[in-house]
Amino acid sequence: MLHILKNSFLLSAFFTIHFGFCQSIPHLQKKGNKTQLIVNDKPFLIRGGELGNSSATSMESMEPIWSKLTDMNLNTVLTPIYWELIEPQEGKFDFALVDDLILRARKENLKLVFLWFGSWKNSMSSHAPEWVKLNQKKYPRVKDDQNKSHEILTPFSENNLQADLNAFKNLMAHIKAFDQNEQTVIMIQVENEIGMLPTARDYHTLANEAFQKPVPNELIQYLEKSKQNLVPEFLEIWKKNGFKTKGNWEEIFGKGLHTDEIFMAWYFSKFTNHVAKAGKNIYPIPMFVNAALNAPEKKPGQYPSAGPLPHLMDVWKAAGNSIDFLAPDFYNPSFKQWNDLFTRQGDPLFIPEHKFDETAPFKGLYAIGHYEAIGFSPFSIESVEDAKKEPLGKIYNLIQQLTPVIEANKGRGKIDGVLLDKENQLQIIKMGDYEFTFKHDYTLNWSDGAKAAVWPMASAIIIEIAQNEFYISGSGIVVTFKPLKANVNAGILKTDQGIFENGKWKTIRHFNGDQTHQGRHLRISVGDYEIQKLKLYCYE
């Protein structure tokens, strides 16, 4: 899935030849068994926030927002770029708003991830320009099974593809010319929450013709080559119909909504890969797509069918490699379950959109710890009243300090995270020579709030930095430990609370006595946000 250049020498040479400068543009690279985002030739961990859909439609609307972003310790803003605004007339482009966003982001020391609101935004084609919307004959829409048109451009139209592709190429050419040296724009999301509604597939004449044609050889070859590694839900569909390799969509995958969805996923992905490839041919920074998560009780068409979802990820991957990864948008409480699904084939995790609720900061820290994600971003980031008081800013401050340590240890099995609440009070992590038991702070019977009906979410990241030495950071946790080796005990040699200044650790307080329960545990109370450096030892 990942289209990553692994050889740094070749990468540097490529960009020197093709772009005329030695510094490589933003790109992804493997480190151990994980993936890093590289910006300005350094690992970059996104402390993000996504703007509401209409907040970036003018610089006047953005003016009161910038200070909120920096007050919450963001380093990256995810902002839409609207097709209707940059190409109001066919072939005539206006990038003034794009330039203003880039220039102001630089002034605020922020990076940008542009969200291309092109053909599709939350399934619909609401951000297509007037000249597209008003010419349905040239730019056709999907039709449902009652032959009714919807405001969704069909992916089966070459005219639709070329119009989107041309706009995106011009956008990428402009970003390259305006920003490649500064690298303010570090990634692109191609389209937004692609999916088919209100039926599982398109019934436009062009779609019906494609549905009767043989399944493309490109997909069949991928299935045969990747048979042992396909996601189990998709493998089961193919298996149930006899692992056929010749025939149309229903002959290979059977008749039903599941086949309608697979069919649409292929054509949505082909369309999006064409757009991404055209943009990358001009300026190949990382590009991804995001998914609106489906509810298990809903059928295809009742949710945005055929989007870049885990049960369809093989179809999306088979259709091209110009998309670097698939990303989940979270308005679903099953955080661990969905992230496990998105990462089960070894793909990187980036969460471009999460409901900006009281759980978001702690889930962000957990994602960066447990999944070693390349970033996290709550949605409608500007909606807060007092940004300086937000828990997100306090968690992002911890992540900011720890980023060099995180990136230095990424992909080495030396980082993990926990996410706790009243229903999930305990989590065990084995790291180095020890087993760590993380519990929610309220499991201590003397803690304020321990008897509350609902406990606030708590989370932490743990990083092994040397034998017997660890950083543990977060909020609302109590940690005990024991050796993995039998017949010995573990004790605390030192527990220090501190901060990083200019990348160097500075001890603020040395904890002992009551702060460590006389050497029994490490604790960061609910409402506190700390980094502690822990050194353990073993004794008989």
Side-chain angles (χ1 to χ4, degrees):
M1 180 63 174
L2 292 174
H3 188 59
I4 301 172
L5 294 170
K6 298 179 181 178
N7 189 305
S8 59
F9 174 80
L10 291 177
L11 183 66
S12 177
F14 174 84
F15 290 120
T16 301
I17 293 169
H18 290 274
F19 296 98
F21 63 99
C22 292
Q23 181 174 263
S24 61
I25 66 172
H27 61 278
L28 300 172
Q29 72 176 22
K30 293 292 286 187
K31 186 169 191 290
N33 62 354
K34 299 297 180 180
T35 299
Q36 290 178 312
L37 173 63
I38 305 298
V39 179
N40 301 116
D41 288 334
K42 296 179 181 178
F44 190 86
L45 184 54
I46 292 176
R47 307 188 308 275
E50 181 178 336
L51 297 172
N53 294 159
S54 300
S55 294
T57 50
S58 74
M59 291 312 291
E60 288 75 17
S61 63
M62 281 295 297
E63 187 56 38
I65 294 173
W66 294 104
S67 61
K68 291 184 177 183
L69 307 179
T70 53
D71 283 347
M72 285 186 283
N73 296 306
L74 272 70
N75 64 4
T76 307
V77 187
L78 281 70
T79 179
I81 298 297
Y82 316 89
W83 186 8
E84 61 181 329
L85 295 187
I86 70 166
E87 194 182 7
Q89 299 179 53
E90 186 174 3
K92 296 183 179 180
F93 292 92
D94 181 356
F95 294 112
L97 183 58
V98 173
D99 294 349
D100 286 342
L101 286 167
I102 292 173
L103 290 171
R104 185 57 183 270
R106 288 178 191 165
K107 183 179 178 181
E108 302 293 341
N109 196 29
L110 293 166
K111 300 296 186 181
L112 295 171
V113 174
F114 280 158
L115 317 176
W116 174 233
F117 282 12
S119 289
W120 302 294
K121 191 272 173 189
N122 293 57
S123 300
M124 311 304 288
S125 298
S126 52
H127 291 275
E130 289 184 11
W131 52 270
V132 171
K133 290 182 179 180
L134 296 175
N135 194 347
Q136 188 176 346
K137 185 175 181 180
K138 184 175 181 180
Y139 304 107
R141 300 147 183 248
V142 303
K143 289 184 178 291
D144 62 23
D145 54 358
Q146 303 301 312
N147 202 38
K148 179 183 176 182
S149 294
H150 294 267
E151 196 173 351
I152 304 174
L153 293 172
T154 177
F156 298 91
S157 165
E158 184 65 22
N159 286 340
N160 290 348
L161 172 61
Q162 291 303 319
D164 189 322
L165 187 150
N166 183 60
F168 192 68
K169 285 168 61 177
N170 276 273
L171 173 64
M172 294 308 298
H174 186 80
I175 294 171
K176 174 188 173 185
F178 196 79
D179 189 55
Q180 64 173 327
N181 290 330
E182 288 81 2
Q183 299 188 25
T184 313
V185 181
I186 58 175
M187 286 202 300
I188 305 287
Q189 178 185 288
V190 187
E191 315 296 346
N192 185 83
E193 293 189 356
I194 298 167
M196 179 65 198
L197 294 169
T199 49
R201 78 167 178 89
D202 185 2
Y203 288 87
H204 190 281
T205 302
L206 294 170
N208 291 339
E209 291 174 356
F211 194 64
Q212 297 305 320
K213 291 180 180 178
V215 173
N217 287 332
E218 191 178 353
L219 177 54
I220 297 300
Q221 290 170 2
Y222 178 95
L223 297 183
E224 292 180 312
K225 181 179 179 181
S226 307
K227 188 174 181 179
Q228 302 303 316
N229 299 310
L230 298 174
V231 298
E233 312 93 282
F234 183 66
L235 178 66
E236 184 60 30
I237 290 172
W238 189 31
K239 176 184 177 181
K240 189 175 181 179
N241 216 43
F243 292 122
K244 293 179 182 177
T245 58
K246 294 185 183 300
N248 64 26
W249 294 89
E250 287 187 340
E251 288 168 340
I252 289 184
F253 298 112
K255 188 176 180 63
L257 292 178
H258 64 280
T259 294
D260 293 344
E261 185 176 34
I262 292 168
F263 165 72
M264 286 302 298
W266 174 261
Y267 282 97
F268 274 136
S269 184
K270 287 302 291 184
F271 185 111
T272 311
N273 265 283
H274 280 310
V275 173
K277 183 178 181 181
K280 280 190 168 185
N281 285 341
I282 296 166
Y283 189 45
I285 62 176
M287 297 188 186
F288 67 96
V289 290
N290 63 327
L293 304 180
N294 55 302
E297 67 275 9
K298 300 293 185 181
K299 297 179 180 179
Q302 294 177 333
Y303 62 83
S305 177
L309 291 156
H311 67 284
L312 298 166
M313 60 174 29
D314 287 307
V315 182
W316 275 81
K317 291 180 180 183
N321 63 0
S322 294
I323 296 167
D324 291 293
F325 57 86
L326 316 181
D329 286 356
F330 274 100
Y331 298 88
N332 183 307
S334 302
F335 192 70
K336 296 179 181 180
Q337 173 193 342
W338 281 102
N339 287 326
D340 287 347
L341 293 175
F342 271 90
T343 57
R344 60 184 162 175
Q345 290 185 333
D347 297 304
L349 180 66
F350 175 56
I351 300 171
E353 188 171 332
H354 188 290
K355 183 179 180 181
F356 196 5
D357 59 15
E358 66 276 4
T359 73
F362 307 97
K363 290 177 179 175
L365 180 61
Y366 173 70
I368 289 167
H370 182 66
Y371 298 98
E372 299 181 51
I374 62 176
F376 181 80
S377 173
F379 175 70
S380 192
I381 192 70
E382 73 279 24
S383 62
V384 300
E385 292 294 328
D386 189 344
K388 291 183 178 180
K389 293 182 179 179
E390 281 296 313
L392 180 70
K394 297 172 183 178
I395 290 290
Y396 274 179
N397 176 50
L398 300 178
I399 294 171
Q400 180 179 12
Q401 294 182 62
L402 286 167
T403 290
V405 183
I406 292 170
E407 294 301 323
N409 289 281
K410 181 164 278 187
R412 301 174 58 202
K414 295 181 178 292
I415 306 173
D416 210 337
V418 299
L419 188 64
L420 305 171
D421 56 22
K422 193 166 188 177
E423 288 68 41
N424 303 279
Q425 299 181 11
L426 179 149
Q427 187 173 333
I428 293 174
I429 289 175
K430 293 181 180 179
M431 184 173 289
D433 297 327
Y434 300 92
E435 178 182 284
F436 295 85
T437 299
F438 286 77
K439 292 183 179 180
H440 194 287
D441 182 40
Y442 283 2
T443 58
L444 297 177
N445 57 19
W446 64 80
S447 294
D448 294 336
K451 295 181 180 180
V454 178
W455 290 359
M457 188 160 279
S459 68
I461 184 172
I462 178 171
I463 309 166
E464 182 185 12
I465 54 171
Q467 187 174 12
N468 302 321
E469 288 193 75
F470 306 84
Y471 287 121
I472 296 178
S473 180
S475 180
I477 52 102
V478 179
V479 190
T480 56
F481 25 80
K482 66 179 183 180
L484 294 176
K485 185 179 178 181
N487 301 318
V488 293
N489 302 301
I492 295 175
L493 276 181
K494 185 183 288 189
T495 305
D496 292 334
Q497 178 197 7
I499 59 174
F500 283 90
E501 287 187 348
N502 300 316
K504 294 185 178 181
W505 175 255
K506 178 180 179 180
T507 297
I508 303 299
R509 287 196 297 170
H510 173 62
F511 282 158
N512 55 26
D514 292 343
Q515 281 66 49
T516 64
H517 199 201
Q518 287 47 254
R520 295 185 183 96
H521 67 215
L522 177 150
R523 181 188 182 194
I524 305 174
S525 302
V526 167
D528 291 337
Y529 300 83
E530 298 176 3
I531 305 172
Q532 293 189 25
K533 188 176 183 181
L534 175 69
K535 189 169 185 178
L536 300 175
Y537 76 107
C538 294
Y539 62 95
E540 295 181 359

